[in-house]
Amino acid sequence: MDFNFQIYHDFVWGFWPGIIVVFGVGFLVGYLASFLGLGGGFIYTPFFHSFFHLTAVQAVAVSLAQMPVSSLSGLFVYYKNNKIRWKQGFLLLVTSIPSAQYTAYKFGRFEDTDFGKQLYYGIPLSEFIYLIVFTFFLGILAIYNLITALKRRRKYYQSFTEKPPNINHAESFSFSTKSILIVLFTGIFFGLFSSLFGIGGGFLAVPLFVYYFRMSPVEAVATSFLGIFLTSFGTSVLFFMQGKLHLELALVGSFGGIFGARIGSLKAVNAKPYSILLVTAIFQFLVVVWYVLGKLPKF
């Protein structure tokens, strides 16, 4: 694989604007990823798919490749503030890493098959399937997070004058058979969606940690970030070996993500209980609308 920056000439506004925009998007992705625990690919993947005309697999590969660097920057802040719940995080990785590797391998090969290359309403079948699945699942999750965030916001202001209970979130998890199986099962889909959409899988892990294991939102984001870091690193190596990864795009985006992730994680540490879910839902809606309007086949 050649390592050059010629792909930036494919950007609609030219080479240097492409460099600046990718850096800026990387900063935004790093900020939102560390604030929401979602890996940032829900912006990165459709961005590279639309503006650099990458295939679905290539867009996912670039999205995943910038996550290890930016997530490590955010993890450092969360570690210093004791927000990472290590037991849940490493348990999630038991199934998320092999799931991500298997999905990346199959996803990368499907795009190159004759069946995946067949045109369907003017675009390859692999691209069409990706569009439908991505927008469906992200749209459903956006609705769920919005409803939950609004409920939490109402409860937050209703109890504003009440003294909050002293809950030790770090001790809320117990290694019961049921809890272990739920985390392991979630890890399978964490890895699957991480490789399939480049979104890190945090959109599954964060709600699980918040709603089921009673973590605070910032603890859920920090713990999810641990899984994002290790899962995305291994999957990026596999995509690179398949020749699907444009390192020059990932490199510039990663530099922006380093700064964005640090600022976003500092913001998340002091965020209101409902704000992380609310911001998540808003951006998920925006990405779904933008992606559908930009990529939906013209009938």
Side-chain angles (χ1 to χ4, degrees):
M1 175 181 291
D2 295 332
F3 183 74
N4 57 65
F5 288 81
Q6 293 303 309
I7 193 171
Y8 284 96
H9 289 290
D10 295 336
F11 189 68
V12 63
W13 295 325
F15 182 85
W16 284 110
I19 295 283
I20 296 172
V21 169
V22 171
F23 181 89
V25 172
F27 179 90
L28 176 64
V29 165
Y31 178 88
L32 292 176
S34 61
F35 186 73
L36 308 177
L38 297 182
F42 71 101
I43 290 178
Y44 242 145
T45 301
F47 170 77
F48 285 118
H49 197 185
S50 302
F51 289 96
F52 283 90
H53 308 294
L54 302 185
T55 66
V57 177
Q58 291 171 337
V60 168
V62 175
S63 175
L64 285 173
Q66 58 82 36
M67 289 181 193
V69 177
S70 60
S71 61
L72 187 61
S73 176
L75 275 174
F76 179 73
V77 175
Y78 289 130
Y79 173 76
K80 288 180 61 178
N81 287 273
N82 192 31
K83 297 299 181 181
I84 303 172
R85 302 301 162 229
W86 300 98
K87 292 185 294 185
Q88 296 92 319
F90 282 117
L91 185 60
L92 188 76
L93 291 169
V94 171
T95 50
S96 68
I97 291 179
S99 173
Q101 292 287 298
Y102 179 79
T103 304
Y105 176 73
K106 289 295 185 179
F107 188 30
R109 293 191 63 181
F110 174 68
E111 184 183 65
D112 296 328
T113 63
D114 292 335
F115 183 63
K117 293 178 180 178
Q118 290 182 4
L119 294 182
Y120 192 76
Y121 291 105
I123 61 176
L125 180 61
S126 59
E127 305 284 323
F128 186 77
I129 293 175
Y130 179 84
L131 170 68
I132 298 301
V133 177
F134 182 92
T135 53
F136 175 78
F137 279 101
L138 198 63
I140 293 296
L141 191 71
I143 295 173
Y144 182 75
N145 282 332
L146 179 61
I147 294 174
T148 303
L150 293 177
K151 288 181 179 179
R152 282 174 170 254
R153 183 178 184 274
R154 184 172 64 251
K155 290 181 180 180
Y156 174 78
Y157 284 108
Q158 285 177 348
S159 60
F160 189 77
T161 58
E162 300 176 7
K163 184 178 180 180
N166 185 19
I167 300 177
N168 188 350
H169 293 284
E171 301 300 327
S172 63
F173 178 78
S174 62
F175 278 93
S176 66
T177 301
K178 180 181 178 181
S179 297
I180 291 175
L181 290 177
I182 288 176
V183 175
L184 292 176
F185 185 73
T186 303
I188 296 175
F189 289 94
F190 184 102
L192 188 153
F193 285 107
S194 176
S195 294
L196 192 60
F197 300 140
I199 55 181
F203 76 101
L204 286 174
V206 171
L208 173 73
F209 291 151
V210 170
Y211 305 136
Y212 185 78
F213 294 112
R214 297 181 178 275
M215 292 186 192
S216 68
V218 66
E219 289 171 346
V221 169
T223 306
S224 172
F225 237 43
L226 177 65
I228 289 171
F229 169 69
L230 293 175
T231 302
S232 62
F233 179 80
T235 311
S236 297
V237 173
L238 180 58
F239 277 131
F240 176 79
M241 294 174 63
Q242 290 182 328
K244 301 293 184 180
L245 176 58
H246 286 275
L247 283 174
E248 56 272 42
L249 292 175
L251 180 63
V252 175
S254 295
F255 277 118
I258 291 173
F259 301 103
R262 185 167 183 83
I263 296 175
S265 54
L266 289 171
K267 179 71 173 179
V269 168
N270 299 312
K272 291 184 175 66
Y274 62 85
S275 59
I276 291 178
L277 294 174
L278 184 60
V279 174
T280 299
I282 292 173
F283 272 93
Q284 285 170 336
F285 273 122
L286 291 176
V287 169
V288 166
V289 173
W290 164 51
Y291 197 38
V292 169
L293 292 179
K295 299 298 292 186
L296 192 65
K298 305 300 186 293
F299 297 97

